[in-house]
Amino acid sequence: MQIDELIQKHGKAPEKLLSILLEFQKSNGDNSLSDDNIRAVAGAMELPVSRVCSVVEFYSLLSRKKRGKHIIQMCGDVPCYINGSVNLKEALEKELGIAFGETTDDGLFTLEYTSCLGYCEQSPAMRIDEDMYGRVTPDALPAILEKYRSL
Amino acid sequence: MQNKSLTLEWVSRHYDKIDPLSIDEYINAGGYESLKKALGMSGDAIISEVKASGLRGRGGAAFPTGLKLAGVKKSAGDIKYLICNADEGEPGNFKDRYQMEKDPHSMIEGMIIAAFAVGAAKGYIFIRGEYDRSIDTVKKALQQAREKGLLGENILGSGFSYDMEVLTGGGSYVCGEEFSLIECLEGKAGHSNYKPPFPTEQGLFGKPTLLSNVETFVNILLIMDKGAEEFSKTGTEGSKGTKMISLCGNVNRPGLYEVPYGVTIRDIIFELGGGVPEGRAIKMVQLGGESGPCIPESELDMPLDYKAMNEKGLSFGSGAVIVMDERIDILDILKKIAKFFLHESCGKCTPCRDGNPHVLILLKRFESGSATERDLAALTSLSDTMCLASTCGLGQAATTAIRSVMKYFPETFATVSDQ
Ligand SMILES: Cc1cc2nc3c(=O)[nH]c(=O)nc-3n(C[C@H](O)[C@H](O)[C@H](O)COP(=O)(O)O)c2cc1C
Ligand code: SF4
Ligand code: FES
């Protein structure tokens, strides 16, 4: 999606900055915002580049680092931890062959920690793109990932 | 068997009973009748009713809602705003997600009533960015309400005009804190700030703003519906109505439970939650979320009551109950909590920005068994300093768990001699 389309949809009011950045990022194949993207948003919204940069740096759903097509966020907080997120962590690393913070060589998946996802009654929980998964067992993982591989 | 009197269906009365995406089902179940009633009253009369009900905010700080409404009402401003705090980032909590996914209209109706009472012209529902389903459901519900003339110009012919929209967060816990949330809504990085001025005087875009939690708005609707007198018959002396409890951790039936104030933590865990799997013993229970205190099994008979808890220096925040059984290692848990705050600190003030990394270093020393008396003194004074000197609630509460463990489980902090 082009920045002009986003401005047309959301308007230029500064309170729309975060929504615009999130949507812009999503439309980029690499789930990140480049310096050019940041400059384009700043220009279109008539905001200083530094302001847009500070917002991108602050929010954990936004990234300046190139990421994979699908983002896997595993909850690292206490309710999930005491219900076995450690096992899920190991299974994710093994299944994908990468550590947290890394992206698979084929550019398909990036593995990240997240703070609580509000799915604590179904812990351990994870989110892939916009889909939530609760009570994820290591055994269930391959089938879940396969869905995204074949998307 | 579940004890009937332990739970009530007030806030949750429509959950799984009506289709959340059908405004007609909501209206058929009596929905938007309270709004009609409210539009026939004066703003002051509504606020008096809320004050008389004894309602206190459900977002964690438990501030009397009637006073907050009155504060916004009397603040001068050419425009006033309303914000619904649906950021729900405190680990262990999921109640607001249930409300938005299962019954968005009760929240919306409560917000319109509150906006009318204080004279707000525009509202924002700030939903955390990870709650895709909530965002989608609430947006659709708002559109339905608009189509029925319940939002927009001249609502139901009352002369009152008001509309609202959904804005989403970017994945930041501190943005649930009111000042930080306002910064985020204004399209900035969510750094917090000192109070006063409070948002009731200078909030969004510098204008008087009513900022309350999802569950609080639903309660405003319930007060309109039942009347303050009936509402305040439920609960205890100073804690009125019901509370949504997010029960999770090592418990047989984790989930959301609505209970009248006054039930004990033990009843919540054992009667509603079915106790701990495989009959294991409880090591500790954390109340409210990661920013709350950890209590031992011997304190479980404590009732859900602001005053009773306050007397012990405890609080239950927005109602999470996190059960941890005998297998956990307390220092390991404290380290997890410290990492959470380290990650989520906005970095604006020194006690929190520099304090959190030091807390973690000290906890690691205790874990490795090399901590000395001086480390213990340092951790104690650092915890106290962060609590007293941090700018916002994040830094102030970052060491609540540690301080409670020092009190209830002092053996956790064993030291070796200085030599
Ligand atoms: C770090 C931090 C995070 C918070 N997160 C939330 C939240 O997610 N939802 C919420 O309603 N209140 C949250 N609060 C409390 C709000 O600052 C505020 O007190 C509350 O939204 C007011 O609503 P109430 O009067 O209805 O309780 C948070 C506070 C702090 C310090
Ligand atoms: S206490 Fe922490 S989160 Fe709050 S303003 Fe200070 S650094 Fe930011
Ligand atoms: S703690 Fe993992 S989803 Fe809440």
Side-chain angles (χ1 to χ4, degrees):
Chain A
M1 204 180 274
Q2 291 302 305
I3 179 67
D4 307 345
E5 289 171 61
L6 287 166
I7 299 282
Q8 221 164 32
K9 178 170 165 199
H10 294 278
K12 272 191 197 180
E15 70 262 30
K16 298 295 160 63
L17 178 60
L18 190 51
S19 305
I20 288 176
L21 289 170
L22 283 166
E23 212 167 310
F24 202 0
Q25 169 173 280
K26 197 154 70 176
S27 70
N28 284 344
D30 57 11
N31 265 308
S32 70
L33 290 161
S34 66
D35 292 353
D36 280 345
N37 292 157
I38 291 173
R39 271 192 290 271
V41 172
M45 296 191 71
E46 294 165 43
L47 289 170
V49 175
S50 59
R51 159 88 176 268
V52 180
C53 254
S54 73
V55 168
V56 176
E57 294 281 355
F58 189 81
Y59 295 100
S60 64
L61 291 179
L62 294 170
S63 171
R64 294 177 73 177
K65 201 172 116 188
K66 283 194 190 344
R67 296 186 292 178
K69 188 169 167 212
H70 304 291
I71 311 285
I72 305 178
Q73 296 178 295
M74 191 196 85
C75 170
D77 285 327
V78 170
C80 283
Y81 182 59
I82 60 179
N83 275 318
S85 64
V86 174
N87 303 336
L88 181 58
K89 169 193 181 280
E90 282 166 8
L92 277 164
E93 287 177 333
K94 191 164 150 250
E95 193 65 33
L96 295 168
I98 53 173
F100 275 73
E102 294 179 352
T103 300
T104 52
D105 287 340
D106 57 10
L108 264 186
F109 295 104
T110 296
L111 193 50
E112 294 178 352
Y113 280 118
T114 175
S115 292
C116 172
L117 290 165
Y119 260 60
C120 336
E121 87 286 23
Q122 300 171 49
S123 49
M126 67 175 189
R127 180 175 181 250
I128 304 183
D129 302 336
E130 276 145 45
D131 308 322
M132 289 282 198
Y133 295 91
R135 295 199 182 93
V136 192
T137 58
D139 292 343
L141 204 54
I144 295 175
L145 293 179
E146 196 46 45
K147 271 203 318 216
Y148 295 86
R149 288 202 173 97
S150 54
L151 268 188
Chain B
M1 278 302 288
Q2 209 164 301
N3 185 338
K4 259 274 177 238
S5 64
L6 275 181
T7 57
L8 273 179
E9 288 187 350
W10 281 18
V11 171
S12 61
R13 69 207 183 292
H14 293 317
Y15 291 11
D16 301 319
K17 297 200 176 113
I18 62 170
D19 175 1
L21 288 173
S22 162
I23 192 170
D24 291 326
E25 284 192 27
Y26 180 71
I27 289 173
N28 286 339
Y32 290 107
E33 282 305 316
S34 298
L35 173 62
K36 284 183 198 152
K37 185 158 129 196
L39 291 173
M41 294 166 70
S42 72
D44 285 325
I46 297 171
I47 293 172
S48 298
E49 203 63 14
V50 175
K51 274 188 186 161
S53 74
L55 175 65
R56 295 170 68 163
R58 305 298 198 229
F63 189 79
T65 306
L67 283 181
K68 197 187 265 191
L69 293 171
V72 179
K73 168 107 204 204
K74 77 165 199 287
S75 290
D78 48 348
I79 181 167
K80 291 176 189 175
Y81 293 105
L82 180 147
I83 298 173
C84 174
N85 189 345
D87 195 48
E88 193 155 72
E90 181 69 51
N93 289 277
F94 41 86
K95 69 187 180 72
D96 296 339
R97 175 170 65 80
Y98 272 64
Q99 185 67 44
M100 292 186 280
E101 290 181 0
K102 290 177 186 285
D103 178 21
H105 283 291
S106 288
M107 170 184 96
I108 292 169
E109 186 177 0
M111 274 184 273
I112 306 173
I113 293 169
F116 175 70
V118 304
K122 171 99 211 240
Y124 293 92
I125 305 171
F126 183 77
I127 310 178
R128 62 177 301 187
E130 293 88 346
Y131 276 3
D132 301 279
R133 191 145 145 229
S134 299
I135 293 167
D136 193 49
T137 311
V138 173
K139 277 186 176 166
K140 285 183 179 139
L142 284 179
Q143 186 52 31
Q144 293 168 348
R146 211 169 283 126
E147 282 161 12
K148 296 259 185 213
L150 298 160
L151 280 174
E153 293 292 314
N154 190 14
I155 295 172
L156 300 175
S158 64
F160 172 60
S161 298
Y162 172 77
D163 210 337
M164 36 189 187
E165 66 179 297
V166 170
L167 285 178
T168 60
S172 163
Y173 164 66
V174 71
C175 285
E177 191 279 331
E178 47 195 6
F179 279 98
S180 176
L181 190 155
I182 287 169
E183 291 283 297
C184 181
L185 269 190
E186 291 177 358
K188 302 176 192 156
H191 296 288
S192 189
N193 216 334
Y194 291 103
K195 328 173 199 199
F198 290 94
T200 48
E201 299 150 22
Q202 282 180 40
L204 188 61
F205 306 120
K207 305 294 180 188
T209 302
L210 173 68
L211 187 153
S212 285
N213 174 257
V214 171
E215 188 184 348
T216 309
F217 284 113
V218 179
N219 273 287
I220 291 175
L221 165 69
L222 293 173
I223 293 162
M224 274 299 106
D225 181 33
K226 295 176 191 297
E229 204 188 322
E230 187 59 33
F231 180 91
S232 59
K233 279 184 195 153
T234 292
T236 64
E237 176 79 43
S239 311
K240 300 300 186 188
T242 66
K243 184 78 198 78
M244 303 305 291
I245 299 294
S246 306
L247 178 64
C248 60
N250 301 132
V251 59
N252 277 316
R253 289 193 295 269
L256 186 65
Y257 297 95
E258 179 167 12
V259 300
Y261 281 93
V263 305
T264 65
I265 306 296
R266 188 181 302 281
D267 277 348
I268 291 171
I269 296 171
F270 287 93
E271 298 299 320
L272 301 177
V276 179
E278 292 159 33
R280 283 188 294 266
I282 289 180
K283 178 80 135 276
M284 66 180 188
V285 175
Q286 194 173 21
L287 302 175
E290 231 100 308
S291 67
C294 298
I295 59 170
E297 140 90 36
S298 58
E299 292 286 352
L300 294 185
D301 292 312
M302 171 113 47
L304 198 65
D305 177 88
Y306 298 115
K307 191 158 161 277
M309 290 224 176
N310 207 3
E311 276 164 6
K312 297 226 168 196
L314 301 170
S315 62
F316 50 88
S318 43
V321 174
I322 307 169
V323 185
M324 299 184 226
D325 71 28
E326 58 195 9
R327 297 168 307 169
I328 63 124
D329 174 65
I330 296 182
L331 275 173
D332 190 33
I333 297 293
L334 290 181
K335 250 175 48 196
K336 272 265 156 206
I337 295 172
K339 282 184 188 160
F340 169 77
F341 285 105
L342 178 64
H343 175 72
E344 297 292 346
S345 166
C346 85
K348 177 168 170 165
C349 70
T350 314
C352 173
R353 183 190 56 237
D354 291 356
N356 279 310
H358 276 285
V359 166
L360 194 57
I361 291 170
L362 288 166
L363 287 175
K364 283 182 180 160
R365 266 185 217 159
F366 282 98
E367 195 179 39
S368 67
S370 64
T372 64
E373 276 298 320
R374 279 171 60 187
D375 289 324
L376 182 57
L379 185 61
T380 309
S381 80
L382 181 58
S383 299
D384 293 347
T385 307
M386 286 170 65
C387 177
L388 291 169
S390 293
T391 300
C392 86
L394 187 146
Q396 290 159 11
T399 52
T400 303
I402 293 177
R403 288 149 46 97
S404 65
V405 167
M406 283 179 173
K407 176 174 166 193
Y408 291 116
F409 306 91
E411 68 284 1
T412 307
F413 297 102
T415 55
V416 294
S417 108
D418 270 328
Q419 268 71 62

